[in-house]
Amino acid sequence: MSMKFDVIVVGGGHAGIEAACASATLGASTAMVLPSPDRIGLMPCNPAIGGPGKSQLVFEIHALGGVMARLADDTAIHSRILNASKGPAVQSLRVQNERDGYAAAARNLIESFSGIEIVRGEVAGLMVAGGSIDGVTLTDGRWLAAKSVILCTGTFLAGMVWYGKNSREAGRQGEAPARHLSASLRETGHRLQRFKTGTPPRIRSDSVDFDLLREVPPDDPPESFTGNPGPKIGSSPTWLTHTTTRTHDLIRQNLEESAMYGGGIAGRGPRYCPSIEDKVVRFKDKDRHLLFVEPDGIATSEVYLQGFSSSMPPILQDEMIRTLPGFERAVIHRYAYAVEYDALDPTQLTLKLMSHRLPGLFSAGQINGTSGYEEAAAQGLLAGVNAVRYAAGEAPVTIRRDQGYLGILLDDLVRGGIDEPYRMMTSRNEYRLLHRQDNAQERMMPLGWQWGLIARGRLEIMRESEARIGREIDRLERSYSQGVAAAKILTRPEMSYQQLIESIGPSPEALSPTEARKVEILVKYRSYIERSRKLLEERKKYEGLCLTATDFQEVRGLSNEAREALDRHKPESLGAAGRLRGIRDSDLVALLVHLKNRGVSRETLGK
């Protein structure tokens, strides 16, 4: 039995949702293949969207025409701006969601598309014809034909779940792994890596003494990704607790029982999201670690203990939890576990997320070595667009590094490669003052319209808003208070836009709170923004300095670490070389001198 589609999406997580929705929006007949449709949009880790580096991706997804922002706002119960006291480059929205509500909203959205057909089944292998993808086979004997296939398999490829030294095959708690696809990928010439991630325990809410915890209220008024906060936003607080010396002693005394430290797990874990065992071992001088206690919903029976990921056996988890303030009588509903899984080496992909080895095969999310819902969704959106374009014989699209966080993500994965699960952070983005969450629409919406995901009406509304902001900035530059230009007054650290208009009068055009905040950012940080623009232009020159014909063994002055990194990754430009781990400024100078000695000018290379 066979069925034919334009695009097949394997998986229904955050990458799969964006890929399928983008594909269907562009008019392609789309299959979403997964064993359990009721698992679409499941949040196996913290039911929250956003945070530093991640909220910027969500704002970009929304501006490009994706759906994550809408799902997050519709099901949000808590909203906060993180780093609010810092500059706009690192200010990041984070919303807590109803876990089950998010999944239900995601499934309803998928089912609302007439162009998406949910196919229940497990993929057994890839079908190849003429050196390109031709579809997939299922374990029950069916096969689905398509010119484009997008793999969004998360942690399911040869997944293995660990509780202490006990393990079983699973993609995540309670779900079977993808048992066959790894072999099919290897047969088609793809290299796989073995990674590890984990999740904390879920605690019964009625067993926690919340009076002993520090409450973290939501922002008032609440912020949102779409500008339209959902009906339940702000309806629940979150809380803080911390580890104690008793917690740390218990962990140190039983490290050999951990799957990670007991030698059971071979895969590399995420450095920037360590388990509680890792924290205790790596940060010996700290006698406590902050933990976030977050609800799975308004009426939920569980709370999520962010920062307490573990691969200890259940009996030890019970003891560990009860050393925390407020958790002395805590009962674990679902124990923490580690999951080990196969991932593709992302250097085998193009910047359009298509395989170099098998045209028509795309991949997005944790299969590409990333961690996090937001990173997965961003990749899924781009893969969905390019899968449709490939199937239709059209030119692919991408986002450059200098355009946004999605470009940073792609460049780091594909050109730099990874040896551990990748997490987006603001510190990875050298253009972060230009790639703020508040200007994502101006940066990305024109691209979303060109790709066919954004309606012209929405684009025009954004441009009208941009024009209002520009006119208000012009007014501030022409208006004076006590002989000083209003725009100059606004640059003072203690001055806000709201305080300013109380003295010079409000804008003749009614500005929304979002527009008013943009005016303040653009005026207050103008000199820094201009400096970043000039730096971006300087770095663009490096992108034009070609290294493709360079024998790095002949370059004098390179460190051994740099030479190894350059030989491994073979960067196409000096700019790409500068972003590799292990490359120092002195190495870049050595490469510049080598290029100059070869008689190659910047002007020539930049053409």
Side-chain angles (χ1 to χ4, degrees), residues 72 83 137 175 186 191 246 258 297 346 428 450 523 542 566 599:
N83 299 320
T137 59
E175 294 181 76
R186 289 190 178 94
R191 297 186 304 277
R246 288 175 55 218
S258 163
R428 295 190 188 274
Q450 292 171 16
V523 174
Y542 277 10
L566 292 165

Side-chain angles (χ1 to χ4, degrees), residues 18-166:
E18 294 289 351
C21 289
S23 175
T25 298
L26 295 176
S29 60
T30 307
M32 175 182 276
V33 185
L34 73 168
S36 302
D38 59 344
R39 297 290 182 162
I40 292 172
L42 190 69
M43 299 173 116
C45 292
N46 195 355
I49 300 293
K54 293 170 174 283
S55 74
Q56 287 79 0
L57 280 173
V58 180
F59 277 98
E60 291 182 1
I61 291 167
H62 182 58
L64 287 167
V67 301
M68 173 171 268
R70 192 192 335 160
L71 292 171
D73 282 354
D74 287 349
T75 60
I77 59 175
H78 186 280
S79 170
R80 285 183 65 218
I81 292 290
L82 307 184
N83 299 320
S85 62
K86 299 181 180 179
V90 296
Q91 291 176 4
S92 307
L93 174 63
R94 185 178 186 273
V95 302
Q96 190 76 16
N97 299 95
E98 285 206 291
R99 180 194 63 201
D100 297 339
Y102 191 101
R107 180 169 181 177
N108 289 339
L109 178 65
I110 292 295
E111 291 177 341
S112 72
F113 281 89
S114 59
I116 299 177
E117 182 171 343
I118 298 175
V119 179
R120 187 166 192 152
E122 180 188 348
V123 172
L126 305 173
M127 298 195 308
V128 180
S132 300
I133 197 74
D134 194 43
V136 299
T137 59
L138 305 185
T139 54
D140 60 12
R142 289 177 294 168
W143 56 277
L144 313 180
K147 290 184 178 180
S148 294
V149 173
I150 311 172
L151 301 181
C152 306
T153 52
T155 61
F156 281 71
L157 285 187
M160 183 75 71
V161 165
W162 290 83
Y163 297 85
K165 295 181 179 179
N166 295 316

Side-chain angles (χ1 to χ4, degrees), residues 4 51 79 114 184 214-215 231 371 389 421 423 465 489 502 509 523 586:
K4 185 172 178 58
S79 170
S114 59
S184 188
R214 187 174 122 208
E215 185 174 306
S371 66
R389 297 177 78 91
R423 178 182 182 178
S465 174
I489 295 172
E502 288 174 2
E509 302 177 272
V523 174
S586 58

Side-chain angles (χ1 to χ4, degrees), residues 197-447:
T197 189
T199 188
R202 269 61 161 195
I203 316 298
R204 274 182 48 177
S205 299
D206 60 8
S207 69
V208 178
D209 188 348
F210 290 97
D211 290 337
L212 297 180
L213 308 184
R214 187 174 122 208
E215 185 174 306
V216 182
D219 288 347
D220 185 18
E223 298 285 347
S224 67
F225 290 110
T226 65
N228 297 300
K232 299 179 182 178
I233 197 166
S235 59
S236 174
T238 60
W239 302 267
L240 291 171
T241 187
H242 57 82
T243 60
T244 65
T245 54
R246 288 175 55 218
T247 318
H248 296 196
D249 289 344
L250 187 59
I251 289 171
R252 291 192 187 101
Q253 293 164 10
N254 293 279
L255 268 179
E256 72 281 357
E257 299 299 324
S258 163
M260 283 291 293
Y261 286 90
I265 292 179
R268 287 290 299 272
R271 186 188 333 171
Y272 299 106
C273 190
S275 68
I276 191 62
E277 297 97 288
D278 276 335
K279 291 178 184 178
V280 170
V281 171
R282 286 164 53 186
F283 305 107
K284 295 183 176 64
D285 57 332
K286 297 194 69 171
D287 59 4
R288 65 166 59 184
H289 293 282
L290 201 62
L291 303 172
F292 295 84
V293 182
E294 299 177 324
D296 275 359
I298 295 173
T300 183
S301 62
E302 294 181 350
V303 292
Y304 180 97
L305 195 57
Q306 185 189 355
F308 208 80
S309 173
S310 177
S311 62
M312 286 288 198
I315 191 169
L316 277 171
Q317 291 186 41
D318 288 327
E319 293 185 57
M320 290 158 55
I321 285 294
R322 291 169 189 155
T323 64
L324 310 178
F327 286 76
E328 291 82 358
R329 294 180 297 278
V331 176
I332 298 178
H333 246 183
R334 288 184 289 168
Y335 288 96
Y337 62 90
V339 58
E340 203 175 8
Y341 58 97
D342 286 346
L344 281 167
D345 178 347
T347 61
Q348 299 166 108
L349 305 175
T350 70
L351 288 170
K352 291 79 178 176
L353 295 179
M354 186 173 78
S355 168
H356 280 298
R357 301 182 181 278
L358 188 56
L361 179 66
F362 297 81
S363 56
Q366 284 181 280
I367 188 175
N368 289 342
T370 59
S371 66
Y373 307 146
E374 302 85 357
E375 293 91 338
Q379 294 171 71
L381 176 66
L382 184 70
V385 171
N386 279 325
V388 174
R389 297 177 78 91
Y390 178 86
E394 299 173 353
V397 296
T398 194
I399 303 289
R400 300 191 312 272
R401 189 179 186 93
D402 62 340
Q403 289 179 300
Y405 272 81
L406 178 49
I408 300 289
L409 173 63
L410 295 169
D411 195 69
D412 285 352
L413 289 178
V414 173
R415 289 180 169 165
I418 55 174
D419 54 13
E420 63 180 272
Y422 178 97
R423 178 182 182 178
M424 178 53 72
M425 300 176 289
T426 54
S427 60
R428 295 190 188 274
N429 189 341
E430 63 270 34
Y431 310 117
R432 56 186 170 273
L433 188 54
L434 301 179
H435 298 164
R436 308 180 308 275
Q437 65 179 27
D438 66 89
N439 70 353
Q441 288 195 84
E442 292 87 340
R443 291 184 287 111
M444 294 294 173
M445 197 174 286
L447 291 175

Side-chain angles (χ1 to χ4, degrees), residues 175-198:
E175 294 181 76
R179 298 163 295 176
H180 310 286
L181 197 48
S182 290
S184 188
L185 285 167
R186 289 190 178 94
E187 289 169 3
T188 51
H190 294 89
R191 297 186 304 277
L192 300 180
Q193 305 174 91
R194 194 73 172 162
F195 283 160
K196 168 261 175 188
T197 189

Side-chain angles (χ1 to χ4, degrees), residues 476 486-487 489-490 495-505:
L476 298 183
I489 295 172
L490 187 52
M495 180 59 64
S496 70
Y497 174 74
Q498 188 59 42
Q499 291 171 320
L500 181 67
I501 63 174
E502 288 174 2
S503 62
I504 68 167

